[in-house]
């Protein structure tokens, strides 16, 4: 079985270091052999400088609308739905955000999706099963082109409705066609904010802990890994929010960041 993992990078929020770390950790946590013949990694980016030479580097997906209409993260949630993404039509891909950490073996995860299923993480911050958390998801290239096409034809309508919540747009279009979202097992996918932190009133006394069984640890929003290690929420926390936006150091994260 061939594994195809992908990421996307534009601007200066993330660097080649982040891409190379993700690639390295995916390889370290995949058992190549009789079952998995290869792990191919693709980065769609506007700047491929300093990327590991084993990474397949492609330009950002072309969005057929005005550049000023492609706001927020729609380059990702809409752009990557291209039916010929990287020449991978007909192949299953696994998308990973650059702010996730790989914390355990992924062999079970690679085998989880069946046929042409779209599989995503159930969003921790949304009640119900109607929004997927786009830190990691998987689909067969060639099955989501309608999501990109609709955005290209109606960019202002989509942004006006969903604003920065591009993962809600992606989820709604999948549900529209398939009737429901399918999720990866909850125990495999953890959020640092929602799964690792104690209640806000204990955060000055109890350090974050990694839930047993976690394979993917997502850092959506703040804090990011480099701040979580040292016990810092972010540089932007307003004074009145520091009561609950506080954490103790998590040095255990460092082994997943090397």
């Amino acid at each position: 079985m061939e594994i195809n993992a992908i990421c996307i990078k534009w601007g200066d929020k993330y660097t080649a270091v982040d891409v190379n770390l993700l690639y390295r950790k995916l390889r370290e946590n995949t058992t190549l052999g009789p079952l998995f013949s290869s792990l191919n990694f693709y980065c769609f980016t506007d700047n491929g400088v300093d990327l590991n030479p084993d990474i397949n580097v492609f330009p950002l997906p072309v969005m057929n609308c005005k550049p000023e209409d492609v706001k927020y993260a729609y380059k990702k949630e809409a752009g990557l739905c291209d039916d010929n993404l990287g020449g991978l039509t007909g192949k299953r891909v696994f998308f990973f955000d650059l702010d996730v950490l790989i914390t355990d073996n992924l062999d079970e995860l690679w085998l989880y999706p069946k046929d042409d299923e779209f599989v995503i993480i159930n969003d921790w911050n949304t009640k119900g099963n109607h929004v997927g958390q786009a830190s990691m998801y998987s689909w067969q290239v060639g099955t989501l082109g309608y999501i990109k096409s609709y955005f290209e034809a109606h960019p202002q309508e989509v942004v006006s409705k969903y604003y920065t919540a591009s993962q809600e747009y992606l989820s709604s279009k999948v549900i529209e066609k398939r009737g429901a979202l399918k999720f990866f097992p909850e125990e495999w996918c953890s959020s640092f904010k929602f799964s690792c932190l104690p209640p806000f009133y204990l955060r000055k006394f109890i350090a974050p802990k990694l839930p047993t069984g976690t394979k993917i640890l997502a850092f959506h929003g703040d804090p990011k890994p480099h701040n979580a290690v040292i016990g810092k929420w972010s540089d932007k926390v307003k004074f009145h929010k520091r009561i609950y936006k506080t954490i103790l150091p998590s040095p255990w994260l460092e082994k997943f960041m090397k």
Side-chain angles (χ1 to χ4, degrees):
M1 174 181 171
E2 176 187 79
I3 301 167
N4 297 296
I6 70 172
C7 71
I8 189 169
K9 178 178 79 71
W10 72 88
D12 57 6
K13 184 175 181 180
Y14 298 100
T15 69
V17 172
D18 300 306
V19 178
N20 292 338
L21 172 65
L22 175 60
Y23 172 59
R24 185 167 65 252
K25 290 303 181 181
L26 290 176
R27 287 191 60 87
E28 289 177 2
N29 287 281
T30 299
T31 307
L32 295 178
L35 185 57
F36 302 116
S37 59
S38 61
L39 191 158
N40 307 309
F41 189 78
Y42 298 78
C43 179
F44 296 88
T45 183
D46 56 0
N47 182 2
V49 175
D50 293 329
L51 293 182
N52 185 308
D54 291 332
I55 294 174
N56 299 288
V57 181
F58 283 85
L60 295 171
V62 175
M63 300 292 284
N64 296 308
C65 51
K66 296 178 181 178
E68 60 267 27
D69 287 335
V70 187
K71 298 179 180 180
Y72 311 123
Y74 290 95
K75 285 187 181 73
K76 168 190 158 185
E77 272 86 351
L80 291 178
C81 292
D82 193 305
D83 275 343
N84 193 37
L85 183 70
L88 292 166
T89 304
K91 296 185 178 182
R92 174 162 295 282
V93 295
F94 292 78
F95 170 82
F96 294 84
D97 260 340
L98 292 173
D99 55 6
V100 305
L101 294 180
I102 310 303
T103 58
D104 204 351
N105 185 273
L106 298 174
D107 292 354
E108 289 180 290
L109 183 143
W110 302 130
L111 294 170
Y112 188 75
K114 307 299 180 187
D115 302 319
D116 68 345
E117 288 179 333
F118 175 91
V119 190
I120 195 167
I121 300 170
N122 198 346
D123 186 49
W124 299 282
N125 198 36
T126 306
K127 294 181 180 180
N129 298 315
H130 62 285
V131 178
Q133 166 51 241
S135 292
M136 189 272 291
Y137 53 103
S138 178
W139 74 99
Q140 186 182 85
V141 176
T143 62
L144 299 183
Y146 66 100
I147 297 175
K148 179 173 181 282
S149 297
Y150 189 90
F151 181 88
E152 290 171 332
H154 311 279
Q156 294 180 17
E157 172 198 311
V158 172
V159 173
S160 294
K161 181 176 181 179
Y162 294 99
Y163 299 97
T164 62
S166 48
Q167 68 183 14
E168 292 187 15
Y169 168 67
L170 172 66
S171 299
S172 71
K173 298 302 282 184
V174 171
I175 292 172
E176 182 181 296
K177 185 170 184 177
R178 295 179 178 255
L181 295 173
K182 179 172 181 178
F183 301 113
F184 285 102
E186 183 178 344
E187 63 271 20
W188 293 356
C189 309
S190 296
S191 158
F192 185 78
K193 283 195 297 187
F194 291 99
S195 311
C196 300
L197 299 187
F200 74 91
Y201 51 85
L202 294 176
R203 290 178 186 172
K204 289 187 177 181
F205 311 101
I206 299 177
K209 296 179 181 179
L210 183 68
T212 302
T214 300
K215 298 177 181 293
I216 307 293
L217 183 58
F219 287 81
H220 47 107
D222 287 315
K224 295 301 184 188
H226 63 282
N227 278 331
V229 167
I230 60 175
K232 182 179 181 180
W233 194 276
S234 82
D235 298 316
K236 302 176 183 178
V237 178
K238 295 181 180 179
F239 182 79
H240 68 282
K241 292 185 177 181
R242 292 179 186 175
I243 295 174
Y244 62 94
K245 288 194 172 184
T246 182
I247 51 172
L248 292 178
S250 299
W252 50 268
L253 288 169
E254 291 183 312
K255 68 179 180 179
F256 307 122
M257 299 166 63
K258 297 178 179 178

